[in-house]
């Protein structure tokens, strides 16, 4: 019985780490047909990017327990190396698709990253490991699509 409890506890811990990413750096994963990219701050705030071949890219920012982005009424912008990219997850227009394309390339080279919410909050996000976690545009590993692709 003790071994079962220990195994269940280890499994639970492993799934929590994988689901939320490692604090302070970017991580990537894949599950149920979705490529997932995550960065988590020391305080638990996070940016999550989901890419799939059968739906447009989505992004969710979790800040102080509140969600912003693709599936929320509240939005956010990214500030990458001092350049603001408005709603990089809203890809149903040519401008939105271009914003996502620009943001992806800029993220891979980021030395500074912030997210700014529509209700005025700003959070600094880690950039450690971002180039390793996000595949280059046009490579076989890159699986993101925009709203214009459908």
């Amino acid at each position: 019985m003790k071994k079962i409890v220990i195994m269940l506890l280890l499994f639970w811990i492993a799934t929590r780490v994988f689901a939320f990413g490692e604090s302070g750096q970017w991580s990537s994963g894949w599950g149920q047909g979705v490529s997932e990219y995550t960065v988590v701050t020391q305080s638990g705030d996070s940016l999550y990017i989901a890419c799939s071949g059968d739906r447009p890219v989505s992004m969710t920012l979790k800040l102080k327990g509140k969600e912003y982005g693709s599936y929320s009424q509240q939005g956010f912008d990214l500030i990458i190396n001092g350049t603001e990219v408005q709603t990089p997850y809203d890809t149903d227009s040519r401008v939105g698709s271009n914003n996502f394309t620009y943001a992806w390339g800029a993220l891979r080279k980021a030395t500074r990253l912030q997210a700014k919410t529509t209700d005025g909050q700003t959070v600094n996000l880690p950039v450690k490991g971002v180039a390793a976690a996000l595949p280059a545009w046009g490579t076989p590993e890159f699986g993101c699509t925009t709203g214009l692709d459908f």
Side-chain angles (χ1 to χ4, degrees):
M1 179 67 176
K2 190 175 182 180
K3 285 183 181 181
I4 292 172
V5 171
I6 291 172
M7 292 300 287
L8 288 173
L9 180 60
L10 290 174
F11 176 75
W12 181 81
I13 290 170
T15 58
R16 297 302 82 159
V17 169
F18 178 74
F20 297 107
E22 186 176 335
S23 181
Q25 70 178 22
W26 281 79
S27 61
S28 63
W30 189 87
Q32 297 184 1
V34 178
S35 295
E36 301 173 312
Y37 310 98
T38 306
V39 65
V40 182
T41 67
Q42 295 294 334
S43 61
D45 300 323
S46 64
L47 175 62
Y48 170 80
I49 305 171
C51 293
S52 168
D54 62 353
R55 59 185 167 265
V57 63
S58 66
M59 293 185 189
T60 302
L61 175 70
K62 289 186 182 179
L63 181 58
K64 297 176 185 167
K66 188 172 180 182
E67 288 192 14
Y68 301 84
S70 295
Y71 306 110
S72 173
Q73 297 292 331
Q74 298 279 333
F76 70 91
D77 301 332
L78 292 177
I79 304 168
I80 307 166
N81 296 333
T83 300
E84 188 167 338
V85 183
Q86 295 181 339
T87 58
Y89 50 87
D90 185 9
T91 64
D92 288 337
S93 68
R94 188 171 314 283
V95 170
S97 182
N98 288 342
N99 281 349
F100 169 70
T101 303
Y102 171 81
W104 190 272
L107 279 171
R108 295 191 77 246
K109 300 174 186 169
T111 57
R112 290 178 295 132
L113 177 60
Q114 293 180 305
K116 183 174 79 172
T117 66
T118 53
D119 61 3
Q121 297 185 72
T122 302
V123 61
N124 292 317
L125 298 168
V127 294
K128 181 180 178 185
V130 68
L134 302 182
W137 192 277
T139 63
E141 295 81 20
F142 181 81
C144 298
T145 55
T146 69
L148 294 181
D149 296 324
F150 294 95

